[in-house]
Amino acid sequence: LIQSFGLTQLISRQLIDGRIPIVNEPGLSFTIITMITLVTGTVFVMWLGEQDTEFGVGNGISIIIFAGIVERFPAAG
């Protein structure tokens, strides 16, 4: 929750080309909805990792982290 609040505040202060805000009206509703979305997504990915582990695919969270790293390889080269 704390990290999602920090990310929400960071997003709400970002500008495109130094002058256009990413979020037009970063009020309380934006903060709450964004925090709920971030936390829910994190819990879902954790659940997917647990399912991988439970069904014998391997260490689920490690596989998800590995997939995220491998996914970045084409852009790095």
Side-chain angles (χ1 to χ4, degrees), residues 27-69:
L28 183 62
S29 62
F30 169 76
T31 301
I32 291 172
I33 291 170
T34 305
M35 287 177 64
I36 290 171
T37 303
L38 288 169
V39 171
T40 304
T42 302
V43 170
F44 178 69
V45 170
M46 294 289 290
W47 178 79
L48 284 177
E50 289 177 12
Q51 296 302 306
D52 285 348
T53 302
E54 186 175 318
F55 287 105
V57 176
N59 189 353
I61 296 298
S62 294
I63 291 173
I64 291 172
I65 293 170
F66 175 73
I69 294 169

